[in-house]
Amino acid sequence: MRVAVVGAGVIGVTSAFAVKSAFPSYDVKIFADAFSPDTTGDGSAGLWSPYLLGDTPVDNITRWAGRTHRWFEQLWKAGLSSLTGVSLVPVTRVTSDKDNVHPEWEKLVYGFHKVSDEYLRRLNEQHKSNYKQGYHFVTYTAEPTLLLPWLMKKFVTLGGKMERRNVKRLHELAEEGYDLIINCSGLGARELIADKTMTPIRGQIYKVKAPWTMQCFLVDDDDDCNYIIPNMHSVVLGGTHQEGDFDRSVREEDSEHIYKGCCRLMPSLQASQIIRAWVGLRPGRPRVRLECEALNTPMGREFKVIHNYGHGGSGVTLCWGCALDVVEMTRNLKVPKLNSKL
């Protein structure tokens, strides 16, 4: 069976790797116009935390996110942190919304608990803020700049292939003999399959050198909430989530908001060294699309498509869970039976 994966972001690469691992005899190839380090995900801090998922069913989010969290745990316990970018990090998340309930995923992370009133009072004094609730927990970051190259190397070792190419229509690949196409095109689905529900969610960040920063701090309040997320060799300061905005240029007003806001949260960041400013467009959608569809080429040849896109700000968080669903859908297609190793 010949399988084409469209897209080389974290969703596409994990899907390709999972399918090739499960079905070693399948001919699996990734097609993309950009590979790491030039994907949207490469600018991400890679924090595991469900984010910007619209009305995606909660049961799906927790299932996909839970499987991914357990995968990161396996990588971390295997001593692969330096290769995969998977790190265990403490997180403080605060909000000014007094009605904000505990998230459904609280049992997936380690040590989730509400912060004390005294701690919240001190934070409000220090930040000149009005936080009503806050939580502590421990979870993972999985930095795409490390995770993606590691996965692609593993994929190629298994016999997987990659080609830099801008696929205009899915039937192009079907006409070339691919039996199954896994559509992980992200925001590109707007043009590739005319999915106009796809919306860019613009994110601007700073990457700085601040090795003394050991903890994530997230303000979960509005469209321009600030966050501080340590990675292995840098710290990511954010951020924005501006829906419907295609502008990939760095804006001075956003840079000022990010820098001043994060320095207010952690004054020691004023001594940090700015490495770069970066902008990426998250693939926003009313809900994640993960389903199988039968299509036909203009010449009448039927082919199967598994759509796996629209993950908003949660590509890293959901990637492996969604990839396992892709494997299960592939197994259930009417194709020659092959033994799965997953």
Side-chain angles (χ1 to χ4, degrees):
M1 182 174 178
R2 301 185 69 202
V3 181
V5 180
V6 181
V10 69
I11 296 296
V13 173
T14 51
S15 294
F17 174 65
V19 168
K20 186 62 181 173
S21 298
F23 308 106
S25 297
Y26 283 16
D27 178 7
V28 184
K29 190 171 188 177
I30 300 173
F31 294 88
D33 57 1
F35 287 85
S36 183
D38 300 316
T39 72
T40 298
D42 283 289
S44 162
L47 177 67
W48 184 101
S49 184
Y51 182 57
L52 299 176
L53 287 167
D55 63 355
T56 301
V58 171
D59 288 349
N60 285 344
I61 294 173
T62 53
R63 179 165 54 86
W64 295 329
R67 288 177 171 180
T68 304
H69 199 272
R70 289 189 290 276
W71 182 51
F72 290 159
E73 182 180 63
Q74 292 169 4
L75 296 175
W76 184 76
K77 286 183 174 180
L80 294 171
S81 288
S82 62
L83 297 176
T84 62
V86 174
S87 299
L88 197 59
V89 293
V91 180
T92 299
R93 189 169 187 164
V94 296
T95 177
S96 299
D97 182 2
K98 65 180 180 180
D99 297 321
N100 195 8
V101 297
H102 285 205
E104 294 288 338
W105 46 261
E106 65 178 73
K107 294 181 180 179
L108 301 177
V109 296
Y110 310 117
F112 186 98
H113 65 279
K114 194 172 180 179
V115 303
S116 68
D117 291 340
E118 174 60 21
Y119 181 79
L120 208 59
R121 184 189 63 77
R122 292 201 307 270
L123 281 183
N124 281 326
E125 288 180 358
Q126 294 167 9
H127 298 170
K128 297 180 174 59
S129 57
N130 189 33
Y131 307 139
K132 295 293 196 305
Q133 289 193 76
Y135 308 104
H136 286 310
F137 57 93
V138 177
T139 188
Y140 294 97
T141 53
E143 301 173 39
T145 51
L146 293 171
L147 182 64
L148 285 174
W150 181 80
L151 281 170
M152 289 190 292
K153 184 177 179 180
K154 289 283 189 181
F155 174 67
V156 171
T157 299
L158 292 174
K161 302 168 187 174
M162 297 182 289
E163 180 179 325
R164 188 179 296 272
R165 172 174 161 188
N166 185 8
V167 177
K168 299 292 187 183
R169 293 291 182 268
L170 294 181
H171 66 70
E172 293 175 20
L173 300 172
E175 289 167 351
E176 293 173 19
Y178 286 94
D179 307 287
L180 171 63
I181 300 170
I182 302 172
N183 173 24
C184 305
S185 56
L187 190 58
R190 280 178 60 89
E191 305 302 327
L192 181 65
I193 58 170
D195 186 345
K196 299 308 180 184
T197 68
M198 289 299 299
T199 303
I201 306 176
R202 182 180 178 275
Q204 181 169 323
I205 55 99
Y206 264 133
K207 289 196 175 185
V208 304
K209 193 172 183 62
W212 58 86
T213 305
M214 308 297 288
Q215 176 172 321
C216 296
F217 195 93
L218 313 174
V219 181
D220 190 14
D221 270 352
D222 53 33
D223 286 346
D224 299 311
C225 56
N226 287 116
Y227 54 82
I228 301 165
I229 305 174
N231 280 172
M232 289 185 178
H233 305 296
S234 65
V235 178
V236 177
L237 309 182
T240 66
H241 58 272
Q242 297 147 334
E243 293 194 21
D245 193 333
F246 284 91
D247 184 10
R248 300 180 79 118
S249 62
V250 174
R251 296 176 185 162
E252 185 60 36
E253 62 269 27
D254 288 335
S255 295
E256 184 176 353
H257 154 73
I258 291 166
Y259 186 76
K260 286 186 176 179
C262 289
C263 286
R264 177 176 58 84
L265 301 178
M266 186 181 293
S268 64
L269 288 172
Q270 295 176 62
S272 66
Q273 175 189 344
I274 295 175
I275 299 172
R276 66 180 294 208
W278 178 88
V279 175
L281 304 180
R282 306 177 184 95
R285 196 173 187 273
R287 64 170 58 188
V288 174
R289 187 180 187 191
L290 182 48
E291 62 183 358
C292 189
E293 182 180 24
L295 297 176
N296 291 284
T297 70
M299 301 300 292
R301 181 179 187 271
E302 183 180 282
F303 63 100
K304 304 289 187 180
V305 178
I306 296 176
H307 297 288
N308 185 18
Y309 67 89
H311 296 76
S314 300
V316 168
T317 302
L318 305 182
C319 64
W320 191 244
C322 289
L324 292 180
D325 272 16
V326 169
V327 167
E328 193 60 30
M329 291 178 184
T330 302
R331 182 180 293 113
N332 292 333
L333 293 176
K334 294 181 179 179
V335 295
K337 300 288 185 181
L338 292 180
N339 292 326
S340 169
K341 292 185 177 181
L342 284 186

